[in-house]
Amino acid sequence: MSKAYDLEERLISFAADVVLVFDKPTKTYASKYYAEQLIRSSGSVSLNFSEI
């Protein structure tokens, strides 16, 4: 299968990119809350996809 269509690798890369973007100190309670939720959600998508 072509690398361009390797969805599992792209989802893992997306989850890693999200962690890198939000790996900074947060300034408010809301930004910390949503950053943590986004990190958990992005990781969950890739893990659930690999179970198929």
Side-chain angles (χ1 to χ4, degrees), residues 33-51:
Y33 177 83
Y34 286 115
E36 290 174 353
Q37 180 61 40
L38 184 57
I39 290 169
R40 286 191 300 271
S41 298
S42 66
S44 175
V45 170
S46 62
L47 293 172
N48 287 329
F49 181 79
S50 67
E51 291 294 320

Side-chain angles (χ1 to χ4, degrees), residues 6-43:
D6 189 4
L7 186 56
E8 184 174 4
E9 288 296 320
R10 291 170 54 200
L11 288 171
I12 292 169
S13 177
F14 172 71
D17 289 344
V18 168
V19 170
L20 291 175
V21 167
F22 289 103
D23 190 29
K24 299 177 182 123
T26 55
K27 296 181 180 187
T28 65
Y29 172 77
S31 62
K32 181 180 182 205
Y33 177 83
Y34 286 115
E36 290 174 353
Q37 180 61 40
L38 184 57
I39 290 169
R40 286 191 300 271
S41 298
S42 66

